Amino acid sequence: MTRYVFLASIVSLLSPGVLHAAEFPASVAKFLQTHCHECHSGESKSGGLDLTALGTDLSDSATFDRWGRVHDRVRDSEMPPPETPAPSDADRTTLTRSISGVLVGFESARQRSQGR
């Protein structure tokens, strides 16, 4: 089921005319809720990052870049910090593959429709 949701989100990104809103798999939201929202939401937006307010309009370069930083921080085990419950390697890999798939899919679709 998770693979289907992921593939469906990539297909939706590649559809003509759908170049602004990305759909991330449910596993991304679950990971963020479990491991990130305590420090990165609402009033407690550590580092100025409120993941509950992070949009999915990847045509906005700031949003695209934030998702890239979330990916990199989790991939490099910088987040979540050591004092919080660590995600399993499988969960970390699922998250980073999901985010990178959506970002790469979006960028590929953008290049096809708008050029480099």
Side-chain angles (χ1 to χ4, degrees), residues 20-22 24 49-60 62-64 66-67 103:
H20 63 287
F24 288 87
L49 178 61
D50 181 354
L51 290 171
T52 60
L54 179 56
T56 59
D57 180 1
L58 298 180
S59 65
D60 175 51
T63 300
F64 188 96
R66 278 188 212 104
W67 276 109
L103 295 178

Side-chain angles (χ1 to χ4, degrees), residues 62-116:
T63 300
F64 188 96
D65 291 345
R66 278 188 212 104
W67 276 109
R69 284 194 305 273
V70 168
H71 170 276
D72 294 349
R73 295 280 175 102
V74 173
R75 178 200 62 204
D76 297 341
S77 298
E78 294 175 21
M79 289 289 154
E83 61 272 8
T84 62
S88 69
D89 288 342
D91 286 347
R92 188 181 299 275
T93 298
T94 297
L95 177 82
T96 56
R97 284 183 181 167
S98 295
I99 292 174
S100 65
V102 171
L103 295 178
V104 168
F106 176 83
E107 186 59 20
S108 294
R110 188 196 64 75
Q111 286 182 12
R112 278 194 305 281
S113 71
Q114 300 173 6
R116 287 188 181 257

